[in-house]
Amino acid sequence: MGKIILRARGIFKNYRTGNRMVSALKQMDLEIEEGLFYAVVGRSGSGKTTLLQVLSTQEDVDGGDIWLEGEAYGTLSTDRRAALRRKKIGMVFQEYRLMTELTVYENIVLPALLDGRNIEEAYIDNLMKSLEIEDLKESYPHQLSGGEMQRTAIARAMTNRPRIIFADEPTGQLDETSAFRVMKLLRESSAMFGQTVVMVTHNKQIAQYADKVLVLDRGALVGRSEDE
Ligand SMILES: Nc1ncnc2c1ncn2[C@@H]1O[C@H](COP(=O)(O)OP(=O)(O)O)[C@@H](O)[C@H]1O
Ligand SMILES: [Mg+2]
């Protein structure tokens, strides 16, 4: 086994709506190896989004803890956790979440500006080239295809050179051809920049391109494999 970048121990999370209680995650242990490309699969409602939200510090667990490069989320204040998220974590969502009034370039550099960093122009150029959106710099989101919007969102997730990228069904709104292209470019770009990727997908063919597959069922991890 390679170096572990992220570790979860005994994590669980429940949601309460009215008097109904849902165990979205049940006592899960997990290790993510540095530099690998993971697919997370499982039926709708099996806890995939909840898992990504807690691993990416967007949601708290109800018990257990998570360590990113040895730093335990449970011991961090809200501010320190937000700082860790900005510095080390990239997020990609199914619905892109681009700023409609900003250009592709402005969307991509926004995380650096929000974090008070200098824009590393050479790195951003490389990123846009590797994601094949360098000709779209001055375009606005409404002028792009779904695949182009998602590749812009991936570039934005990589702007602050995160250690790990979480993508929740990033190809869910794309046709098969552009879904494949987006997945391939995400994989190649993250490999080029040494990033670990954890990607939820419904698409079995896409999952086959992952280094490892994590299978969820009713809030539990029921399989970890090279291939489903
Ligand atoms: N904010 C929430 N409030 C109440 N229940 C939720 C919430 N988010 C998720 N759930 C429930 O938790 C379970 C897991 O959901 P989710 O993590 O979204 O699964 P998946 O992404 O695999 O479809 C489901 O039963 C879902 O209804
Ligand atoms: Mg989901």
Side-chain angles (χ1 to χ4, degrees):
M1 204 180 217
K3 190 183 162 205
I4 304 301
I5 183 165
L6 185 135
R7 189 185 300 276
R9 277 289 169 271
I11 56 168
F12 61 91
K13 183 161 185 72
N14 303 316
Y15 288 112
R16 189 185 296 279
T17 32
N19 21 4
R20 203 173 78 99
M21 176 119 112
V22 178
S23 293
L25 291 181
K26 296 172 189 157
Q27 288 294 339
M28 190 181 294
D29 294 333
L30 181 66
E31 267 106 39
I32 301 291
E33 278 182 64
E34 184 173 24
L36 298 190
F37 192 93
Y38 285 78
V40 179
V41 302
R43 273 180 289 180
S44 179
S46 59
K48 304 181 299 295
T49 293
T50 306
L51 178 64
L52 252 65
Q53 284 179 332
V54 300
L55 295 181
S56 63
T57 77
Q58 297 180 99
E59 286 264 10
D60 287 333
V61 288
D62 291 333
D65 208 351
I66 299 162
W67 292 259
L68 178 58
E69 298 193 310
E71 209 166 4
Y73 293 179
T75 64
L76 298 175
S77 66
T78 311
D79 284 355
R80 299 245 340 251
R81 200 181 304 192
L84 173 97
R85 179 163 63 237
R86 282 197 308 274
K87 283 191 173 51
K88 293 197 171 180
I89 294 173
M91 293 291 313
V92 180
F93 305 94
Q94 181 173 351
E95 67 283 9
Y96 325 126
R97 302 196 191 176
L98 298 174
M99 305 285 270
T100 54
E101 70 278 22
L102 299 182
T103 64
V104 164
Y105 174 79
E106 289 166 345
N107 267 285
I108 292 171
V109 299
L110 191 60
L113 298 178
L114 291 175
D115 203 26
R117 300 183 186 212
N118 290 325
I119 296 167
E120 297 179 62
E121 296 292 353
Y123 172 68
I124 299 293
D125 266 5
N126 268 335
L127 210 48
M128 293 185 41
K129 283 200 186 94
S130 76
L131 289 160
E132 298 175 5
I133 50 175
E134 74 271 26
D135 295 336
L136 303 173
K137 246 184 143 167
E138 305 307 326
S139 301
Y140 287 87
H142 75 270
Q143 300 171 313
L144 307 179
S145 69
E148 289 165 345
M149 282 195 270
Q150 195 57 296
R151 283 181 277 135
T152 301
I154 290 168
R156 177 185 58 185
M158 294 171 73
T159 293
N160 284 346
R161 298 178 182 270
R163 301 287 295 124
I164 188 163
I165 296 169
F166 296 100
D168 195 353
E169 300 197 44
T171 64
Q173 289 191 23
L174 305 176
D175 63 62
E176 210 170 312
T177 311
S178 53
F180 237 88
R181 184 152 172 235
V182 163
M183 187 275 306
K184 188 168 161 281
L185 291 170
L186 169 59
R187 193 183 166 133
E188 289 168 0
S189 303
S190 58
M192 184 185 318
F193 300 108
Q195 290 150 337
T196 307
V197 178
V198 181
M199 179 183 77
V200 172
T201 183
H202 265 119
N203 186 318
K204 288 241 153 71
Q205 272 178 306
I206 283 182
Q208 283 178 356
Y209 276 78
D211 296 313
K212 301 220 178 196
V213 180
L214 305 172
V215 187
L216 294 194
D217 184 28
R218 283 163 286 185
L221 193 56
V222 296
R224 319 157 205 241
S225 55
E226 321 300 306
D227 212 306
E228 212 184 335

